[in-house]
Amino acid sequence: MGFSSPVTPSCSYSFTFNALSCDAVSKTKTRICTSTSFECPPIHKTGFASQRERRESSNLHIFASVASPDFSLNESVGKVQLPKGETWSIHKFGGTCVGSSQRIQNVAEIITKDESERKLVVVSAMSKVTDMMYDLVYKAQTRDDSYMSALEAVFEKHKLTALELLGGDDLATGHAAESFSDFVVGHGELWSAQMLSSLIRKNGLDCNWMDTRDVLVVNPAGSDQVDPDYLESEQRLDKWFSKNPSKTIVATGFIASTPQNIPTTLKRDGSDFSAAIMGALFRARQVTIWTDVNGVYSADPRKVSEAVILKTLSYQEAWEMVTLRTLLISVKVAKACSLTFLNGVYMYVQSYFGANVLHPRTIIPVMRYDIPIVIRNIFNLSAPGTKICRPSVIESEDGQILESHVKGFATIDNLALVNVEGTGMAGVPGTASAIFGAVKDVGANVIMISQASSEHSVCFAVPEKEVNAVAKALKSRFRQALDAGRLSQVAVIPNCSILAAVGQKMASTPGVSATLFNALAKASINVRAIAQGCSEYNITVVVKREDCIRALKAVHSRFYLSRTTIAMGIIGPGLIGATLLDQLRDQIATLKEKFNIDLRVLGITGSRTMLLSDTSIDLSRWREVQEKKGENADLEKFVQHVHGNHFIPNTVVVDCTADSNVASHYYDWLRKGIHVITPNKKANSGPLDRYLKLRALQRQSYTHYFYEATVGAGLPIISTLQGLLETGDKILQIEGIFSGTLSYIFNNFTDTRAFSEVVTEAKKAGYTEPDPRDDLSGKDVARKPRRKT
């Protein structure tokens, strides 16, 4: 038997828990449901007896019955009218916020200090309690006798919390529950609301608690969603308030009733939705969602350490970002993400920032009345959080209006692309309907869709675990078209991820899309599919899974001016390479502070040994570390290590050797998106076709090939000449000393000194090539003219 829909039982339960004897007695041994016969095993005295001596001063009574609330809307409403408007402030506290007695006390203190004239507080069940409830029902449903210990754990958790918070008559509470599943699932919120309201009264405030099943009325809407009935709910709210007037109300989140007074829920993580609905009913000034994060981040801080807290979001931007971070999971009986699901479909809201920030439907009720939502961290009250409201403009100090066109980025992993293509699709009505009808039939969730105007192909992304079923269904559905050649293929591209950029004015602002794709191109990220609607809020691209984090870092860095992170590999730690490493050691802090460049040397290799690091080599002691931890040099492994770090979007290889074998790899490195910097003259002075091939590749790609240090002792000679040519100047003649080595030798070679002595001195000073014969024979001079043109 399942509980996929509410049922009205024809019997009653009544439990009495005594803090002294801690007995659990079932007043009704057998329960018969109207929909089917179901015998609940009798609840006997259990291990509660072991807790008898813990508390001796108070009784805790919890009752449940099937008596439905009888609302007669024709009754005259009392004289106390519900005042609506900005005098009300709505607060919502999630399960983590009320997860212990100390945290409930913190919540009570926040409410007590709130200077709003009137307050309504929506609370979730204590942390993990809803999961415990689902687990309890599932065990009872499957006749697993261990449900008794699960029941004990649930009541013990609340009993001990109540005893720590309250005393005397405040411990006597009661409530009604109509159906067995809602009796179980909704009790967490009922207990949280009663304990918190009692504690607030104990602190001296006028406070009542509200069972929102008496007020909120919702209609099932399919796909495991419900639609609020605002008119009916307002009428019930007016009636409730006339009987329970108070300036502070603690209401249960998550639970509601159908128009037939059958208890139901707002589905998983529905307490946010409850708070938003209440905000709309009260026409409140603001809805504050208290959680355990500082607000909404511009990107997942686990993937982008430079992610920032967004001060404001428009309703539409928040809608897009929340929806992007929502995952629909359809299961029968399974455990996933520490949750036990019953028969049916549940929505699990997973923020890709590592925390559940907002239920996706929360924005709809408040947007109607222009009520802002503020996301705040209960564990960090100094953080202002994120405000979701109507879009506003920001002015700089000189009064100029500034707008942030891209607000945030999100990624979704473990996807596959399905591409259906063929010339027979163009101009044929109903093709898309047939494609997605087949996808629907297998229960797959389509994440994004992309189609070119030629109608030659349609591609869409689905969860990777569903792609085989989707491909099989499509091939079956279009078998005749495939055999006839009207469709050429149903192709699956696995190992994909989605990267989405969200901002309300992206499409109406020229250059935003170009900036996004330029950032991806410079990080050598290939885009497999693109989707953007005319709503202007979202640009979605599909990339390889292994490129996803690098792509996220690249676009975030471009739009948020976070540090440009560069992975660097140094080849040849000889005289020139070692000098460069020492310079980097002294300049890395300055590069970060003044130029926003985060340079990380991930590898150093010589001809015999190499040193690798996953984060960054300590350049103050690299020689010592290489001597102790160095491994055999392997150029291919070295480059793969430096470039294969998916958390850093930009890779640079610096070749400080004079090795032609190393120079022969430049083309492959540039083709892979690795930037090359070199004082090595061999690549540019070898065969002309190889040099021209290198330059052509560099011009066509977004990679850099810098060789300024091959001439002029590092002075900006090449870039100066290039600048002159690009601005239309014609260079007629170049004069200069083309060999610093020969200049030094001839200036210091006198009658009193041997020629070999002067050459040795020049080599020690670092003026010569690694082999001074290249200077003395004229080879080095001969290599230079090409590098200037």
Side-chain angles (χ1 to χ4, degrees), residues 12-26:
S12 64
Y13 269 159
S14 178
F15 297 104
T16 301
F17 287 85
N18 184 281
L20 178 61
S21 64
C22 299
D23 293 334
V25 182
S26 172

Side-chain angles (χ1 to χ4, degrees), residues 466-506:
E466 299 172 352
V467 72
N468 291 334
V470 169
K472 183 178 179 181
L474 288 172
K475 289 176 182 178
S476 174
R477 172 65 180 80
F478 294 100
R479 174 52 54 200
Q480 184 178 353
L482 288 166
D483 292 341
R486 295 195 305 276
L487 289 185
S488 57
Q489 67 171 343
V490 175
V492 172
I493 304 172
N495 302 319
C496 294
S497 293
I498 276 179
L499 168 65
V502 174
Q504 187 162 349
K505 294 183 179 284
M506 290 192 303

Side-chain angles (χ1 to χ4, degrees), residues 267-498:
K267 313 311 172 189
R268 277 305 232 181
D269 297 284
S271 294
D272 292 344
F273 197 17
S274 299
I277 296 170
M278 284 297 183
L281 293 177
F282 280 87
R283 311 294 194 270
R285 173 180 57 84
Q286 178 175 291
V287 175
T288 303
I289 307 293
W290 293 89
T291 181
D292 55 359
V293 294
N294 287 336
V296 180
Y297 282 86
S298 57
D300 187 339
R302 298 169 302 178
K303 298 177 181 178
V304 181
S305 59
E306 298 88 357
V308 298
I309 296 290
L310 301 175
K311 293 182 179 179
T312 61
L313 282 172
S314 71
Y315 293 122
Q316 290 81 5
E317 288 167 339
W319 199 336
E320 288 284 344
M321 294 180 74
V322 169
T323 304
L324 276 170
R325 297 158 199 162
T326 300
L327 200 57
L328 294 178
I329 302 176
S330 176
V331 294
K332 291 302 180 182
V333 179
K335 285 192 175 181
C337 302
S338 302
L339 301 178
T340 303
F341 294 92
L342 301 178
N343 292 6
V345 182
Y346 288 90
M347 176 179 285
Y348 174 60
V349 180
Q350 176 188 346
S351 165
Y352 287 90
F353 294 155
N356 296 337
V357 175
L358 206 60
H359 186 283
R361 298 193 67 191
T362 302
I363 299 161
I364 302 172
V366 296
M367 188 165 60
R368 179 181 302 177
Y369 298 104
D370 217 7
I371 301 169
I373 299 174
V374 178
I375 311 296
R376 294 202 56 193
N377 189 348
I378 193 171
F379 304 114
N380 183 12
L381 299 181
S382 62
T386 299
K387 187 175 184 178
I388 301 170
C389 56
R390 292 283 178 194
S392 58
V393 296
I394 303 173
E395 292 189 357
S396 62
E397 292 180 359
D398 59 2
Q400 184 178 1
I401 294 177
L402 303 174
E403 293 183 347
S404 180
H405 300 116
V406 177
K407 283 295 184 72
F409 302 91
T411 59
I412 307 175
D413 296 322
N414 302 318
L415 301 177
L417 274 180
V418 180
N419 186 44
V420 182
E421 65 179 52
T423 55
M425 295 174 58
V428 179
T431 302
S433 174
I435 291 173
F436 295 109
V439 175
K440 177 189 174 187
D441 290 343
V442 297
N445 181 33
V446 177
I447 309 296
M448 67 154 282
I449 304 169
S450 180
Q451 181 180 19
S453 59
S454 65
E455 301 183 48
H456 179 72
S457 66
V458 175
C459 77
F460 54 92
V462 296
E464 202 158 39
K465 65 181 180 181
E466 299 172 352
V467 72
N468 291 334
V470 169
K472 183 178 179 181
L474 288 172
K475 289 176 182 178
S476 174
R477 172 65 180 80
F478 294 100
R479 174 52 54 200
Q480 184 178 353
L482 288 166
D483 292 341
R486 295 195 305 276
L487 289 185
S488 57
Q489 67 171 343
V490 175
V492 172
I493 304 172
N495 302 319
C496 294
S497 293
I498 276 179

Side-chain angles (χ1 to χ4, degrees), residues 93-109 123-129 156-166 188 191-193 195-196 199 378-379:
F93 295 92
T96 305
C97 300
V98 293
S100 66
S101 59
Q102 180 58 53
R103 291 181 180 180
I104 294 174
Q105 287 177 333
N106 294 341
V107 169
E109 185 176 347
V123 291
S124 298
M126 294 180 71
S127 179
K128 307 298 182 185
V129 165
E156 186 74 6
K157 180 180 180 75
H158 289 86
K159 181 189 69 176
L160 294 179
T161 302
L163 289 170
E164 289 174 0
L165 290 172
L166 308 169
W191 292 326
S192 292
M195 285 191 291
L196 179 59
L199 184 59
I378 193 171
F379 304 114

Side-chain angles (χ1 to χ4, degrees), residues 468-747:
N468 291 334
V470 169
K472 183 178 179 181
L474 288 172
K475 289 176 182 178
S476 174
R477 172 65 180 80
F478 294 100
R479 174 52 54 200
Q480 184 178 353
L482 288 166
D483 292 341
R486 295 195 305 276
L487 289 185
S488 57
Q489 67 171 343
V490 175
V492 172
I493 304 172
N495 302 319
C496 294
S497 293
I498 276 179
L499 168 65
V502 174
Q504 187 162 349
K505 294 183 179 284
M506 290 192 303
S508 62
T509 303
V512 176
S513 296
T515 302
L516 175 75
F517 290 111
N518 183 269
L520 293 173
K522 287 188 174 181
S524 299
I525 306 295
N526 181 45
V527 175
R528 290 181 164 178
I530 305 167
Q532 181 181 19
C534 62
S535 64
E536 308 182 358
Y537 305 147
N538 184 320
I539 299 176
T540 298
V541 298
V542 178
V543 298
K544 292 180 182 178
R545 184 187 302 164
E546 66 247 34
D547 292 338
C548 185
I549 295 179
R550 196 151 48 93
L552 177 62
K553 281 180 167 284
V555 295
H556 190 275
S557 174
R558 179 63 184 84
F559 282 97
Y560 274 89
L561 299 178
S562 56
R563 290 192 179 111
T564 300
T565 307
I566 300 175
M568 178 176 284
I570 307 292
I571 303 175
L575 179 61
I576 295 176
T579 303
L580 172 63
L581 286 167
D582 291 341
Q583 289 176 333
L584 292 175
R585 175 199 63 203
D586 298 335
Q587 291 297 313
I588 275 182
T590 302
L591 290 172
K592 282 184 181 180
E593 182 180 348
K594 293 187 177 181
F595 300 97
N596 237 14
I597 295 175
D598 184 3
L599 200 61
R600 303 181 188 181
V601 178
L602 301 186
I604 301 171
T605 184
S607 57
R608 291 186 294 274
T609 61
M610 66 180 180
L611 176 63
L612 305 177
S613 171
D614 291 329
T615 53
S616 183
I617 296 172
D618 182 356
L619 297 185
S620 65
R621 48 194 298 267
W622 67 268
R623 295 176 178 86
E624 174 189 344
V625 177
Q626 184 178 36
E627 185 176 343
K628 292 181 179 179
K629 298 183 179 180
E631 54 187 282
N632 292 334
D634 183 331
L635 187 59
E636 183 177 349
K637 179 181 178 181
F638 172 83
V639 174
Q640 175 58 36
H641 175 83
V642 175
H643 185 54
N645 190 311
H646 302 308
F647 292 89
I648 302 178
N650 307 292
T651 305
V652 174
V653 168
V654 182
D655 174 20
C656 297
T657 73
D659 191 334
S660 57
N661 178 57
V662 175
S664 67
H665 289 84
Y666 290 179
Y667 184 85
D668 289 335
W669 294 344
L670 290 170
R671 189 168 51 85
K672 292 177 181 177
I674 301 173
H675 307 286
V676 176
I677 301 174
T678 181
N680 187 344
K681 304 178 181 69
K682 297 295 177 67
N684 292 354
S685 59
L688 180 61
D689 60 337
R690 186 175 72 179
Y691 168 76
L692 295 176
K693 189 178 178 182
L694 269 177
R695 293 303 306 272
L697 175 63
Q698 186 261 326
R699 292 190 189 100
Q700 294 168 5
S701 67
Y702 284 91
T703 50
H704 295 295
Y705 175 41
F706 293 134
Y707 48 88
E708 190 86 53
T710 59
V711 65
L715 295 174
I717 294 176
I718 293 178
S719 58
T720 301
L721 292 174
Q722 288 175 338
L724 290 171
L725 292 171
E726 288 169 358
T727 54
D729 289 311
K730 185 176 181 180
I731 298 174
L732 302 177
Q733 183 177 341
I734 298 175
E735 295 181 354
I737 298 173
F738 295 103
S739 173
T741 302
L742 295 180
S743 176
Y744 178 86
I745 290 174
F746 291 136
N747 283 329

